[in-house]
Amino acid sequence: MGPRNVFVTGGAGFIGSNFVYHLLDALPDTHVKVYDKLTYAGNMENFERVKANPRFSFVHGDICDVHAVSEAMRGSDMIVHFAAETHVDRSILVGVNPFIQTNIQGTVTLLEAAQKLGVERFLHVSTVEVYGNTAPSVSVRHQFLEDDSLNPLSPYASSKAAADRLAYSYWTTFKLPVVITRCVNNYGPYQYPEKQIPLFITNALQGRPLPVHGDGLNTRNWIHVEDHCRALLAILNAPADAVVGEVFNIGNDEEHNVIDNANAILRLVGVPSYYPSSSLISFIPDRQGAVRRLAVDATKLRERLNWTPQISFEDGLASTVQWYIENEAWLKHVLERGDTFLNDALNRGVDKA
Ligand code: NAD
């Protein structure tokens, strides 16, 4: 039997809101309850299309609040846990405490509540950042496997690594039916513009330079958020013996560096050809805690659940740029909130241009 009542933490954020749409469309009998604190990254405007759907409900709350979590979780069969402080730069420049609080303490609060309730599945959304640096291409094996060691490089990644292992320990110790996913970098609609791709799109649309850290050659696997959501749904639908107690990498073979992304976005936004794109790219000092290369091997997920990514980076990036153009009001409202960290990030290349 598929999921019936799904409790989605962090559902008002980027991946969570895409997942809510995906779930409601794919499973007509399923009810979704989003539980979200609405931090700077949460946005009720992400729910425009589902807010009147009787199978959707929203609870405003903090995952660290034991009482509120157990009240809200009651009646849920499956938990999908996205809620987190998610930005590497904020974990370095703003402070680590919210990361420890939400990513570690909040995860434990949810695991405890789920354990008491006796849920059928607890899908913990971890990240490839827990692995650290993929070896450079001279190495024998180039992509992380699920049983590789975890060597997180930033406070964000370390807090996610702690949560990842705590979730696993609730399976090994208490037999809570936990599944852990480690997905590569996502892009797509509704992503807060502090992150690389929407930041580049926002600046390209507004004629501001695109800030590129270091030499711009840091590379990542990039996956469209819909492919990620499809993988998560496949895991929720899978029989317990195929997935419970397991870790799954989610990724593809699309590796791209920062400069390539900047140039591709400038082209898609339509910076006039007489205007050399390089003049809208501004090099700034490298980030602390930066990972040079991150790539995973997702063979386990492909073979066990027959999942394959369906959106090429070229097509996905084009549709994402188009989404930000068509959803000017969404972007305008986000920018009007007066988030000084975001404002600084968007303007980081201006002085250097
Ligand atoms: P996001 O920053 O866009 O959204 C995070 C959401 O969590 C927001 O809605 C926010 O309000 C909510 N939240 C934060 N603290 C909370 C708290 N204490 N209680 C309740 N809600 C809280 O994040 P995202 O990019 O959508 O990432 C979602 C998850 O996926 C995270 O766990 C992240 O580590 C993981 N992940 C992200 C990526 C990526 O590329 N974005 C890749 C792999 C894994």
Side-chain angles (χ1 to χ4, degrees):
M1 190 186 295
R4 297 172 301 275
N5 291 298
V6 184
F7 186 78
V8 178
T9 74
F14 161 48
I15 305 173
S17 54
N18 278 282
F19 182 70
V20 168
Y21 283 126
H22 190 73
L23 200 59
L24 289 170
D25 286 347
L27 302 178
D29 297 331
T30 295
H31 289 249
V32 175
K33 185 188 279 183
V34 167
Y35 184 88
D36 197 296
K37 186 181 174 182
L38 295 178
T39 67
Y40 77 92
N43 189 345
M44 289 304 283
E45 281 188 47
N46 294 4
F47 297 130
E48 278 307 310
R49 259 178 50 213
V50 284
K51 64 183 184 197
N53 188 329
R55 295 188 291 122
F56 168 79
S57 60
F58 178 81
V59 178
H60 184 203
D62 188 332
I63 57 167
C64 302
D65 182 335
V66 178
H67 182 68
V69 163
S70 40
E71 279 293 304
M73 200 186 273
R74 198 169 296 145
S76 305
D77 313 303
M78 298 198 174
I79 314 300
V80 184
H81 174 32
F82 294 101
E85 287 290 337
T86 61
H87 194 33
V88 172
D89 287 2
R90 283 189 198 249
S91 78
I92 296 164
L93 300 171
V94 180
V96 74
N97 283 342
F99 289 76
I100 303 302
Q101 196 57 26
T102 287
N103 299 1
I104 303 178
Q105 188 58 52
T107 298
V108 172
T109 305
L110 291 167
L111 290 163
E112 279 290 317
Q115 159 86 356
K116 289 198 181 99
L117 191 64
V119 300
E120 283 175 34
R121 197 153 300 174
F122 189 110
L123 202 173
H124 176 74
V125 180
S126 186
T127 164
V128 289
E129 294 273 346
V130 299
Y131 290 119
N133 243 325
T134 307
S137 50
V138 288
S139 77
V140 178
R141 183 156 57 73
H142 307 307
Q143 297 177 317
F144 283 117
L145 288 168
E146 287 84 352
D147 57 1
D148 280 338
S149 61
L150 306 187
N151 295 298
L153 297 190
S154 66
Y156 160 67
S158 300
S159 68
K160 289 292 291 186
D164 179 309
R165 291 300 79 197
L166 279 161
Y168 187 66
S169 76
Y170 271 68
W171 158 246
T172 54
T173 314
F174 306 116
K175 289 289 170 269
L176 179 68
V178 169
V179 189
I180 295 162
T181 58
R182 298 184 185 143
C183 189
V184 299
N185 278 43
N186 284 226
Y187 66 95
Y190 301 109
Q191 189 167 24
Y192 194 75
E194 66 185 353
K195 305 281 170 58
Q196 186 193 120
I197 285 182
L199 188 149
F200 283 177
I201 296 172
T202 303
N203 276 8
L205 289 172
Q206 299 188 345
R208 255 192 318 271
L210 280 51
V212 170
H213 292 270
D215 61 8
L217 297 178
N218 289 355
T219 64
R220 296 285 185 279
N221 267 166
W222 288 95
I223 193 169
H224 192 277
V225 66
E226 274 180 35
D227 277 331
H228 184 185
C229 292
R230 261 192 285 275
L232 298 176
L233 184 57
I235 290 170
L236 282 191
N237 275 330
D241 58 0
V243 294
V244 166
E246 301 283 347
V247 177
F248 291 96
N249 287 337
I250 304 175
N252 52 29
D253 296 323
E254 298 259 21
E255 284 192 53
H256 300 276
N257 68 39
V258 188
I259 301 222
D260 289 346
N261 291 348
N263 278 318
I265 287 166
L266 288 171
R267 266 196 312 278
L268 285 164
V269 167
V271 172
S273 55
Y274 56 82
Y275 192 42
S277 61
S278 58
S279 67
L280 263 192
I281 292 179
S282 174
F283 287 91
I284 60 172
D286 210 353
R287 309 196 306 184
Q288 297 161 288
V291 174
R292 186 69 172 166
R293 176 171 175 250
L294 250 181
V296 297
D297 182 328
T299 308
K300 179 175 170 182
L301 182 66
R302 286 169 184 254
E303 289 185 349
R304 200 166 300 183
L305 297 188
N306 211 13
W307 168 85
T308 48
Q310 291 173 13
I311 303 174
S312 70
F313 189 66
E314 195 185 347
D315 290 350
L317 194 61
S319 65
T320 301
V321 168
Q322 196 53 34
W323 187 88
Y324 279 88
I325 291 171
E326 284 167 9
N327 290 272
E328 201 183 352
W330 180 93
L331 184 58
K332 183 166 170 277
H333 295 158
V334 168
L335 298 176
E336 281 170 355
R337 289 171 171 189
D339 174 354
T340 46
F341 180 93
L342 175 62
N343 204 37
D344 290 350
L346 291 166
N347 284 290
R348 212 154 272 154
V350 172
D351 298 343
K352 309 274 176 178

